[in-house]
Amino acid sequence: MPQTNSGMADLRVVVTTALGAVPIEGASVTVSTEADQNGARTLLYSVRTNSSGMTPPLALATPPRANSMTPDGGTPFSVYTVEVAHEGFNPVTALRVTMFEGVPAVLPVTMVPLAENQPTGETDLTATGEPQALYLGRYPGEE
C-alpha cells in the first residue's frame, strides 16, 4: 500500500533578472500545495530572497522513495506551487513543481521588469501541465 508524505526535501528558489545576471533581493516567494478539487491551496511558506536572490532552504513533505519501487506503489513525488513577486517586475507563478524525498532542488526564476508607466503586470505562468524543471543540489552562486 502506498504511503504519502512521510519524507522531506529542501527547495531553494533563486530569483534573478537580466537573463539570470542580476539577483533580486527582497522578492516575495510563497510556496503552497497544489490546488485541490475546489481550487483551494494551503500556504506553506512566505519568505523573501537575500542579497544573492536566494530563499533559505524550504523543507517540503514528500512521499517515500519506496513508492517508486513497484507499479502500484503510488506517486513518488509531491507537487507544489511557487509564486514570486517584487515591485517593478511581472509576478511569476511556477505550477507543478515536483519534489522527491531526500533530493534537494533549486528553482531558478527570472523576472521581467514592468514596462515604463505600467503599474502592475500579469502573472507569468512558467509551467501549465508538465512538472517544473529543477536543478539538483547546489546552484552556482549559492552561499
Side-chain angles (χ1 to χ4, degrees), residues 1-49:
M1 179 165 174
Q3 297 179 10
T4 58
N5 296 343
S6 63
M8 298 297 287
D10 286 341
L11 171 68
R12 291 187 90 173
V13 180
V14 179
V15 183
T16 60
T17 191
L19 299 174
V22 179
I24 298 178
E25 181 177 5
S28 170
V29 177
T30 60
V31 179
S32 59
T33 60
E34 187 176 38
D36 64 14
Q37 297 157 342
N38 299 323
R41 295 181 293 160
T42 301
L43 178 65
L44 302 172
Y45 289 99
S46 180
V47 298
R48 294 214 176 260
T49 56

Side-chain angles (χ1 to χ4, degrees), residues 36 59 64 76-77 82 88 95 127:
D36 64 14
F77 57 87
V82 177
L95 302 173

Side-chain angles (χ1 to χ4, degrees), residues 63-90:
R65 288 183 188 191
N67 283 6
S68 66
M69 300 301 177
T70 61
D72 62 346
T75 304
F77 57 87
S78 291
V79 179
Y80 295 95
T81 298
V82 177
E83 297 174 280
V84 181
H86 192 280
E87 185 177 341
F89 293 89
N90 286 303

Side-chain angles (χ1 to χ4, degrees), residues 72-133:
D72 62 346
T75 304
F77 57 87
S78 291
V79 179
Y80 295 95
T81 298
V82 177
E83 297 174 280
V84 181
H86 192 280
E87 185 177 341
F89 293 89
N90 286 303
V92 176
T93 300
L95 302 173
R96 300 195 48 79
V97 175
T98 56
M99 297 297 295
F100 294 85
E101 180 185 24
V103 180
V106 176
L107 175 66
V109 174
T110 301
M111 298 192 80
V112 177
L114 293 171
E116 190 172 339
N117 299 322
Q118 182 182 358
T120 61
E122 293 184 22
T123 300
D124 179 21
L125 298 177
T126 62
T128 55
E130 294 299 313
Q132 180 69 30

